[in-house]
Amino acid sequence: MPVVSAPYAFNEEDLYVDLRSIFGHSLFLKCEGFNFAGSIKLKAATEMVEDAERDGILTPKSILVESSSGNLGVALSVIAASKGYRFLCVTDARVNLPNRMMMEALGSQVHVIAEQEAQGGFLGARLDYVRALCASDNRYVWLSQYTNPSNWKAHYRTTAPEIARQFPRLDVLFVGVGTTGTLMGCARYFRRWHRRVRIIAVDSVGSASFGGSPGRRMIPGLGTSMRPPLLDESYVDEVIRVEEADTVRACHRLARRGFLFGGSTGTVISAATDWMARHDAHELTAVAIGPDLGERYLDTIYQTNWLQGFYGEDVLDSDKEAADSWAAAPSPVTP
């Protein structure tokens, strides 16, 4: 049993869910939400803070500031509280209320951007605010998750080797795209591995990460309104874009089997199960990375009025039909 003295010292690295009985495909979900920050962002946050400390950028008088739609903000709040730093999270109107409340409970300040920037959307407006703040006061230290190489190095050092140890015959890896830290760290690691691994990036419809114009996105986590500076597409074999309604359906289908996951995880699972259905994947070893859990989405993707307001009253109808079909089918037999 692990014993820790700091919240960032613990992360459950070897927990996987076999989704075959739910989706009919041999797909293993790596669950990254079982730590004190509740998401995979704790890894990147820890790496970026500790690298800044080693480089002398962070001092006891520093005030951490970061732009985040939620999960990284919570992770930095956990670390800041543990290490004694002040932290300001710059977010926008789409932030989940539980995320904001968690950051504030941990002693962080939260600034909410209400209006989008003309070209860069909410993200552009958040970044403009952070830049102006740092230019006006040198106490503020911006880790810049969007450009900081420690972001992807965290996953090169931890997430990818964890998967490699558990699945030495890995064939396909599905990774959600936000800052692309997880994607680039894992892709770089497996590019140098002993066998070929197909890297599939999962993005949200409405995201401009891989080109195109940004569109409406109501579920925070994956996707951006501009190309992520860390992204190197030469490491990516395929990109799948997921409609938010499909994200919602995947989350609810999992919840009916007792697994309450977040929107980022639902997006990755939707893409992975669709890809598996379109390919002869019976002999493949496939892993999807699940960045978060579902408690922080109770007032959004698990709340009927919110769902119907953004996606219509029938958003879950096709998912209900699929669930009824599975319920009527014989239970899978474990050999």
Side-chain angles (χ1 to χ4, degrees), residues 30-272:
K30 188 179 196 307
C31 302
E32 287 283 353
F34 290 97
N35 56 54
F36 288 101
S39 81
I40 196 172
K41 290 292 188 178
L42 184 61
K43 290 177 172 178
T46 301
E47 191 93 2
M48 290 190 295
V49 167
E50 292 185 344
D51 283 356
E53 289 174 332
R54 281 193 294 269
D55 293 341
I57 298 171
L58 271 177
T59 71
K61 294 182 180 180
S62 297
I63 304 173
L64 282 167
V65 61
E66 187 57 80
S67 160
S68 170
S69 61
N71 282 338
L72 184 79
V74 172
L76 284 172
S77 295
V78 168
I79 296 171
S82 176
K83 289 178 172 283
Y85 294 115
R86 292 167 62 189
F87 172 53
L88 168 64
C89 180
V90 180
T91 187
D92 60 61
R94 297 170 303 171
V95 65
N96 287 348
L97 180 60
N99 275 333
R100 179 175 180 175
M101 294 177 68
M102 286 186 70
M103 288 187 276
E104 292 174 339
L106 289 162
S108 299
Q109 289 183 288
V110 180
H111 179 79
V112 180
I113 299 292
E115 296 184 3
Q116 302 185 50
E117 194 261 338
Q119 299 298 321
F122 277 121
L123 176 57
R126 282 167 19 202
L127 297 182
D128 286 346
Y129 184 90
V130 173
R131 291 190 188 100
L133 191 66
C134 292
S136 67
D137 191 334
N138 60 14
R139 292 177 303 165
Y140 285 98
V141 173
W142 181 22
L143 297 175
S144 186
Q145 62 166 323
Y146 309 99
T147 61
N148 194 328
S150 296
N151 186 344
W152 68 259
K153 288 177 181 178
H155 302 287
Y156 185 95
R157 187 177 63 82
T158 62
T159 309
E162 291 162 8
I163 295 170
R165 285 194 298 269
Q166 191 73 22
F167 298 95
R169 303 293 297 173
L170 179 67
D171 295 300
V172 187
L173 181 65
F174 299 91
V175 189
V177 173
T179 64
T180 70
T182 307
L183 173 68
M184 298 316 303
C186 291
R188 283 187 167 95
Y189 181 91
F190 285 112
R191 177 66 64 87
R192 301 166 61 94
W193 206 37
H194 68 89
R195 63 184 275 117
R196 172 85 163 83
V197 175
R198 189 172 185 83
I199 302 296
I200 299 181
V202 179
D203 201 7
S204 298
V205 170
S207 168
S209 295
F210 290 91
S213 301
R216 188 189 79 163
R217 289 180 294 112
M218 298 309 303
I219 301 175
L222 301 186
T224 61
S225 55
M226 58 184 68
R227 180 184 174 85
L230 294 177
L231 176 61
D232 183 343
E233 291 187 53
S234 68
Y235 287 92
V236 178
D237 294 297
E238 187 176 343
V239 178
I240 299 177
R241 292 179 173 87
V242 177
E243 295 278 359
E244 287 192 332
D246 291 326
T247 292
V248 169
R249 294 181 189 109
C251 287
H252 279 257
R253 193 161 171 186
L254 285 159
R256 282 196 293 270
R257 294 299 186 92
F259 294 108
L260 195 71
F261 285 108
S264 297
T265 300
T267 303
V268 175
I269 291 173
S270 177

Side-chain angles (χ1 to χ4, degrees), residues 304-326:
T304 301
N305 291 338
W306 188 90
L307 285 179
Q308 292 180 348
F310 287 111
Y311 307 109
E313 294 186 1
D314 61 347
V315 62
L316 296 178
D317 285 357
S318 61
D319 187 48
K320 182 178 184 301
E321 292 174 4
D324 292 342
S325 173
W326 279 106

